[in-house]
Amino acid sequence: MNASIKSLALQSLNVALRLLLGALWTVVKTAVQVMEVSEMSGAEKRERVFAIAQQEAINLGKNFSSSLINLGIEAAVQLLKGGKSND
């Protein structure tokens, strides 16, 4: 994929998730960044980020589906791999 197209796609993904998840998006991105350096397995990292996101959603008084939280986690991973995790 062309670098500029990839960059545009990642920026669009970031905006879309910010709209869908609101404040939770920042929490998910931060948790994914923190977990990246952990020595846990990928599954353990995902589980931990999911738990953090679920608790934060409760704290925010929001009720997000598991699939939407998982979408946020996967998007955050892709943004991190793409080097674009800015708001």
Side-chain angles (χ1 to χ4, degrees), residues 9 14 20 22 25 33 38 42 46 48 51 53-54 58 61 64-65 73 75 77 82 86:
N14 191 35
L20 284 170
W25 177 228
Q33 288 174 333
S38 169
R46 179 174 293 277
R48 182 70 182 123
Q54 251 186 342
I58 291 167
F64 292 108
S65 68
I73 294 168
V77 169
N86 298 337

Side-chain angles (χ1 to χ4, degrees), residues 1-77:
M1 179 183 289
N2 178 318
S4 61
I5 293 173
K6 182 177 180 180
S7 177
L8 179 61
L10 289 173
Q11 289 173 4
S12 298
L13 181 63
N14 191 35
V15 170
L17 269 292
R18 189 177 331 134
L19 291 172
L20 284 170
L21 295 175
L24 187 62
W25 177 228
T26 301
V27 172
V28 170
K29 288 192 304 182
T30 301
V32 166
Q33 288 174 333
V34 168
M35 287 292 129
E36 181 190 25
V37 296
S38 169
E39 293 184 16
M40 293 183 218
S41 72
E44 290 171 322
K45 291 177 187 179
R46 179 174 293 277
E47 216 173 272
R48 182 70 182 123
V49 172
F50 186 88
I52 291 167
Q54 251 186 342
Q55 185 57 55
E56 185 61 22
I58 291 167
N59 294 347
L60 292 169
K62 304 289 183 180
N63 185 19
F64 292 108
S65 68
S66 295
S67 59
L68 188 54
I69 292 173
N70 282 322
L71 173 64
I73 294 168
E74 184 56 36
V77 169

